[in-house]
Amino acid sequence: RPRAMARPPRRAVGGANRQCGPAGSTPAAGAAVGGAAAVADPADRGSYPVASFAALADRDREHTVVLDVRRDEEWAVSHIPGALHVPLQDLLQRLDEIPDQQLWVHCEAGYRASIASALLDRAGHDVVCVDDDYGHAEELGLVEMGLVARAASR
C-alpha cells in the first residue's frame, strides 16, 4: 500500500523512504508539508495545557479533579489522595463516570496521560495533561502508599 508521511521539509521524503521500510517496499506516495495545520480541519484539531506534578500541587483543588489513568497494580502501590482512578484501557467505557470539572490527567510518565487527555478533550472535557515522571509526585509528597505497599511494609 502507498504510504503518506507528514514531515515539514519536502526534501525529507526521500530520506524517510530510505529509513522507513525494507528494501523493495512501496515508497511514500506523498508528503504533507506544514504540520497538522496543513492537513487537519481546524474544527477537528484539539489542544489542551500540559503541566508538571509541581503545577498539579498548586492547582485550584476546589474546581479540579485529578484523574489517574495508571493500571490497577500501579494504583495499589501508591496514588494521589482523592484522585479518581480510571485505567486508560477502561476510559472509553467509563466516560459517564468522569465529572464535569477540569481534569488533571496523569500516569507514570506522561504517555498514557497524553492519550487519555486527547480522548477526554475530544469528548468535550476540560483537561490538563500532566506530562511528568510520577517520581516527581512522590518527591513533592503528593502520594500516599496504597494497600499493597502498606501490606509489604509490615
Side-chain angles (χ1 to χ4, degrees):
R1 292 186 332 198
R3 293 178 287 171
M5 297 179 185
R7 292 193 61 154
R10 288 184 191 274
R11 68 184 178 279
V13 175
N17 276 333
R18 287 188 295 277
Q19 295 174 12
C20 290
S25 68
T26 305
V33 178
V39 296
D41 184 323
D44 290 333
R45 291 193 316 254
S47 67
Y48 43 83
V50 177
S52 65
F53 279 110
L56 182 144
D58 293 334
R59 77 191 185 286
D60 174 6
R61 295 172 194 266
E62 186 177 334
H63 299 101
T64 60
V65 171
V66 175
L67 176 62
D68 185 335
V69 296
R70 296 175 305 145
R71 294 184 322 271
D72 291 335
E73 301 81 24
E74 294 168 296
W75 171 269
V77 173
S78 71
H79 53 269
I80 296 174
L84 174 62
H85 178 232
V86 179
L88 177 60
Q89 67 269 16
D90 300 335
L91 184 60
L92 291 178
Q93 292 79 28
R94 295 176 59 186
L95 280 175
D96 60 331
E97 297 175 34
I98 306 300
D100 190 24
Q101 289 181 278
Q102 186 178 63
L103 304 168
W104 285 66
V105 184
H106 83 87
C107 63
E108 190 74 25
Y111 180 71
R112 290 171 286 177
S114 69
I115 296 169
S117 295
L119 293 170
L120 291 163
D121 177 66
R122 181 75 175 190
H125 289 276
D126 179 12
V127 299
V128 176
C129 178
V130 179
D131 186 16
D132 198 358
D133 187 275
Y134 188 72
H136 293 146
E138 293 169 344
E139 292 168 6
L140 292 165
L142 298 177
V143 305
E144 70 179 12
M145 288 191 311
L147 296 174
V148 169
R150 280 185 276 208
S153 68
R154 290 186 182 149

